[in-house]
Amino acid sequence: MKVISYNLNKHKAAGELEQLVAAHDADVLCLQEARSGDIPDQVAGLRLADATARNRLGLAVYYRANTFTPLEVRTLALKKSLHDRVLKPAEERLLGVRLHDIDHGRELIVASFHAAPLTALNSLRRKQIEAALAELASLGADLPILMVGDYNYPVFKESLGQKVRAAGYELSLSDARTYTRYRFFKGHYDFATSVGFDIDSITTLPQGASDHLPILVTAGLKTPRG
């Protein structure tokens, strides 16, 4: 399974999506900072599962219809930072979709996630990540989960990784930095948290109109025990 995650930077990179999905033959596309009212129902053969509606800049998840069947969608407004309360850029910071894998006859969960901006504390983002994973787990007992997106976590990722692993998940970074806007904050911002998946690779794709670089996650479902 190939999953692309892309923060569009206030929808600036929306025009790149068709070519991006087609070039990498993606099965799932997860977006952040998209204008929900301006995104298409389909992108290069992928169908829109859902998009957040209450956000000025929102989330969206697309899936390949001949590979997956959507079963349930869940959005969540996570604990807010001061930035969120004042500017209100994002009411909902998680969009999760429970999918049925047609070929393998199994269910899985894929989610687009956007953590609070750099003006917030890492402690708040950790709480948001914890709450997001708990919400996704409630979509189905013991289902594989892959949550990708903009974690806004440029430093102390080792500590975050330890906490994520303690909760039973894996934190996976891409092979190159994914954010370039500010000199002192360049680094890995966009990555994946998973359980029940073997992450083969996470590749940082070439930069387009966004200050974030898209990432391509290549992953497979782990074989069920028993």
Side-chain angles (χ1 to χ4, degrees):
M1 181 173 73
K2 295 181 179 180
V3 180
I4 290 177
S5 176
Y6 198 7
N7 182 319
L8 300 181
N9 185 18
K10 302 177 182 178
H11 208 71
K12 294 176 183 177
E16 303 167 13
L17 296 178
E18 285 277 343
Q19 183 177 356
L20 189 66
V21 169
H24 298 282
D25 195 25
D27 302 297
V28 177
L29 173 66
C30 295
L31 303 178
Q32 304 89 43
E33 291 198 21
R35 288 200 301 266
S36 302
D38 295 332
I39 58 175
D41 292 332
Q42 295 194 43
V43 173
L46 302 189
R47 187 174 298 170
L48 180 65
D50 206 354
T52 52
R54 293 188 292 165
N55 296 4
R56 176 166 57 88
L57 296 169
L59 309 171
V61 174
Y62 290 81
Y63 66 96
R64 190 167 296 283
N66 62 3
T67 304
F68 301 108
T69 302
L71 301 176
E72 187 176 354
V73 176
R74 188 77 56 84
T75 60
L76 183 64
L78 301 171
K79 187 174 180 180
K80 295 180 181 180
S81 66
L82 178 62
H83 178 91
D84 289 337
R85 294 191 184 99
V86 174
L87 298 179
K88 298 183 179 179
E91 288 285 330
E92 299 151 309
R93 290 192 171 273
L94 174 72
L95 174 60
V97 182
R98 181 162 62 95
L99 298 169
H100 174 74
D101 186 322
I102 298 170
D103 291 336
H104 296 92
R106 296 178 61 185
E107 293 183 12
L108 58 108
I109 297 166
V110 177
S112 182
F113 171 72
H114 191 186
L118 295 177
T119 50
L121 297 174
N122 273 351
S123 58
L124 173 63
R125 281 185 284 273
R126 286 196 300 271
K127 290 178 181 178
Q128 289 181 329
I129 294 167
E130 180 181 2
L133 293 174
E135 184 70 13
L136 293 176
S138 72
L139 275 169
D142 300 321
L143 291 182
I145 295 172
L146 177 62
M147 184 174 82
V148 297
D150 177 6
Y151 283 63
N152 272 322
Y153 216 101
V155 294
F156 305 120
K157 287 185 288 293
E158 295 81 4
S159 175
L160 175 62
Q162 291 175 0
K163 293 182 182 298
V164 168
R165 285 190 292 273
Y169 295 83
E170 288 296 325
L171 186 71
S172 303
L173 305 184
S174 57
D175 59 353
R177 68 188 186 189
T178 67
Y179 187 72
T180 62
R181 184 174 182 183
Y182 297 113
R183 178 181 176 185
F184 296 106
F185 290 105
K186 293 179 180 179
H188 291 80
Y189 281 60
D190 307 83
F191 35 91
T193 304
S194 63
V195 65
F197 281 91
D198 289 318
I199 305 297
D200 298 321
S201 64
I202 303 184
T203 305
T204 300
L205 302 177
Q207 186 166 15
S210 175
D211 50 2
H212 286 257
L213 283 68
I215 60 172
L216 173 64
V217 181
T218 304
L221 293 169
K222 290 182 179 292
T223 303
R225 294 181 179 180

